[in-house]
Amino acid sequence: MLSDFEAAELISFLTPEARPDVKGHTTSYILGLSGNRDGCRFLRTKPDIITALFALTSDPSIAIAKDCYFTLINLSADETLHQVLLTDIKVLQVMMKKVLDPEFVFSDQICSILSNLTRHLKTCKIMFEVLQEDVGVAKLVEIFCAESFNKKAKFHHLGPLLSNLTQLPEARSFMMDKDRCVIQRLFSYTQYQASVVRRGGVVGTLRNCCFDHAHHEWLLSDDVDILPFLMLPLAGPEELTEKENEGLPVDLQYLPEDKKREEDPDIRKMLLETLLLLTATKAGREILEKKSVYPIMREFHKWETDVHVTAACEKLVEVLIGDEPEPGMENLLEVDIPEEVEEKLTKADAREQEELEKEQERMKQEEEEEKKKRSDTEGSEKEQEAGLIR
């Protein structure tokens, strides 16, 4: 790694007055340095270098500014650097103003940085406070949904940013303010095929919002109608009985033969977790039963191959077809679990996770063995063909 003398010399190459070619070589070198943990940790001890890089995000050279932004993306992915970026360099206020500029070239890179900075609760709170002072969550959602806001940016990473922000109760309350119509604007993106990042961010946001059980009936009501947007990505082309189809929301009835399910297993798992959260209250369970969620889950379970997603599906099905809890325990999110029972459940979850990982490893080995057999068979057939030709 660089000595203190070499680091000081490096800073002298990062001034606005430095020759463009020297600045370019230096920012390119630092970008490479930031690509690994050791490099990030070294830069954490040199805040002057990071400050100089941040200043050069406004450099007239697009290539230099680009290097600086991608370096900041790498640095913001390291939690130990969050304090430096937020408190010492104060990147938030400047970056938020730039995101609001419909002509700004590096808005997508800024969204990635902001998404990284909000992964952890402490920095997420700081971000939310700054956001509410200057921009507001509503404006972020507006930009996210207005695909023509900035023709030079796609804003897909605003999805994970919104998901991170909704870790906070105050952000969730804002998203589900009945007078603002904010959360409803996100629903259509659960099937947005152009970006798995956007899709995943939206589903993560909806899942976080469903932790607030007081809003479940409103979310499931005809006025909001969240359910079809959660179920449709999990539904396939399988034929259901006429009775089952009639019980489904209209958008899920008689789906075409070419209907495809969500391809990303992490998103499928989040969708199932969201549905499970909606079963926490008696009203939610009754609505999901009335809307024929079970037949969709039954067919999904037959189709699913990922062990972790299958486990999440089975938990949901257990609630859907299980008996109602005893009086006083109808709200599953408010049930007080005795400490010794909680300990047993934690151990059971750990065992289940271990078994799932073993099952996943077994399936992986079987798949590799099958590939090897196919490869050996193909090789043998080619040899036989070659012998016949001779």
Side-chain angles (χ1 to χ4, degrees):
M1 214 53 72
L2 299 176
S3 66
D4 288 345
F5 174 78
E6 289 170 326
E9 189 176 31
L10 207 62
I11 293 171
S12 70
F13 300 149
L14 295 172
T15 60
E17 299 79 23
R19 277 171 35 197
D21 59 329
V22 174
K23 275 191 292 188
H25 286 304
T26 307
T27 55
S28 179
Y29 170 75
I30 296 173
L31 175 58
L33 197 63
S34 70
N36 61 74
R37 183 178 290 271
D38 289 339
C40 284
R41 296 296 160 90
F42 168 76
L43 290 169
R44 185 183 65 183
T45 67
K46 306 294 178 187
D48 289 349
I49 292 179
I50 303 175
T51 302
L53 281 171
F54 183 57
L56 285 180
T57 57
S58 299
D59 196 87
S61 165
I62 293 292
I64 289 172
K66 184 178 179 181
D67 280 350
C68 293
Y69 273 114
F70 277 100
T71 300
L72 290 170
I73 289 173
N74 291 342
L75 296 178
S76 63
D78 188 331
E79 185 190 355
T80 63
L81 278 152
H82 286 186
Q83 200 65 28
V84 174
L85 292 168
L86 291 173
T87 308
D88 299 344
I89 305 176
K90 295 181 173 59
V91 301
L92 283 185
Q93 289 85 345
V94 176
M95 287 190 172
M96 287 311 308
K97 286 177 182 174
K98 288 182 176 179
V99 165
L100 296 177
D101 180 356
E103 297 295 325
F104 191 62
V105 176
F106 296 110
S107 289
D108 281 338
Q109 286 71 29
I110 286 179
C111 290
S112 295
I113 294 165
L114 296 178
S115 174
N116 285 341
L117 289 174
T118 51
R119 284 179 183 172
H120 302 280
L121 197 58
K122 185 178 178 181
T123 47
C124 189
K125 287 179 179 177
I126 296 170
M127 171 72 184
F128 184 73
E129 288 169 7
V130 172
L131 188 62
Q132 291 300 81
E133 286 173 12
D134 296 335
V135 181
V137 175
K139 186 63 179 178
L140 279 190
V141 174
E142 183 184 326
I143 292 171
F144 182 67
C145 297
E147 294 180 30
S148 60
F149 176 78
N150 183 340
K151 292 179 181 177
K152 299 169 185 173
K154 297 184 183 297
F155 293 106
H156 294 325
H157 279 87
L158 280 182
L161 173 58
L162 291 170
S163 179
N164 293 342
L165 288 172
T166 49
Q167 295 176 79
L168 306 174
E170 52 267 48
R172 294 197 296 270
S173 295
F174 183 87
M175 294 290 289
M176 293 186 286
D177 186 326
K178 295 177 183 179
D179 297 324
R180 292 180 184 271
C181 192
V182 179
I183 194 170
Q184 295 94 316
R185 300 185 69 180
L186 302 178
F187 289 169
S188 62
Y189 292 107
T190 62
Q191 293 196 95
Y192 186 83
Q193 293 304 308
S195 170
V196 69
V197 171
R198 180 178 284 251
R199 258 191 349 266
V202 165
V203 173
T205 302
L206 300 182
R207 181 190 59 178
N208 288 347
C209 287
C210 287
F211 275 101
D212 292 349
H213 61 81
H215 293 90
H216 283 187
E217 284 191 68
W218 175 71
L219 288 169
L220 291 165
S221 69
D222 292 338
D223 291 337
V224 182
D225 202 21
I226 192 175
L227 197 55
F229 299 96
L230 300 175
M231 290 173 63
L232 206 48
L234 300 173
E238 297 84 6
E239 285 188 25
L240 302 177
T241 67
E242 191 170 336
K243 184 179 178 182
E244 287 171 340
N245 265 306
E246 286 174 358
L248 287 166
V250 174
D251 292 341
L252 282 102
Q253 293 179 6
Y254 304 102
L255 296 174
E257 292 180 1
D258 60 351
K259 170 68 174 70
K260 297 189 185 307
R261 290 181 170 93
E262 168 58 53
E263 61 187 28
D264 186 277
D266 291 330
I267 296 178
R268 294 199 299 272
K269 186 168 179 283
M270 282 195 291
L271 287 162
L272 291 165
E273 289 166 349
T274 308
L275 289 167
L276 183 61
L277 285 168
L278 290 169
T279 66
T281 61
K282 184 175 181 179
R285 291 189 292 276
E286 289 175 347
I287 293 169
L288 265 64
E289 182 182 356
K290 183 182 175 183
K291 298 285 187 179
S292 296
V293 173
Y294 171 69
I296 297 292
M297 293 301 103
R298 182 190 65 213
E299 299 305 319
F300 175 83
H301 187 267
K302 293 175 187 175
W303 171 87
E304 184 57 68
T305 57
D306 185 286
V307 291
H308 299 286
V309 183
T310 299
C313 180
E314 288 169 357
K315 286 179 182 176
L316 174 60
V317 170
E318 282 175 16
V319 177
L320 292 174
I321 65 175
D323 296 331
E324 268 296 307
E326 296 175 12
M329 301 180 71
E330 291 92 343
N331 190 326
L332 304 181
L333 291 176
E334 288 186 334
V335 175
D336 288 326
I337 302 173
E339 192 174 326
E340 63 273 13
V341 175
E342 190 168 357
E343 190 176 334
K344 286 180 183 177
L345 290 172
T346 302
K347 288 179 180 177
D349 280 344
R351 283 196 300 271
E352 182 186 5
Q353 183 66 23
E354 189 177 336
E355 287 170 8
L356 287 172
E357 287 172 0
K358 285 180 181 176
E359 177 67 13
Q360 198 168 31
E361 185 61 31
R362 184 188 65 77
M363 290 172 68
K364 187 178 177 183
Q365 286 176 355
E366 286 180 358
E367 193 176 325
E368 287 174 357
E369 286 172 9
E370 186 64 32
K371 281 181 182 177
K372 188 175 183 302
K373 283 180 185 177
R374 284 201 300 268
S375 178
D376 291 344
T377 302
E378 288 170 3
S380 176
E381 288 173 352
K382 284 179 182 177
E383 286 177 8
Q384 289 176 5
E385 287 176 9
L388 289 171
I389 293 169
R390 284 198 295 271

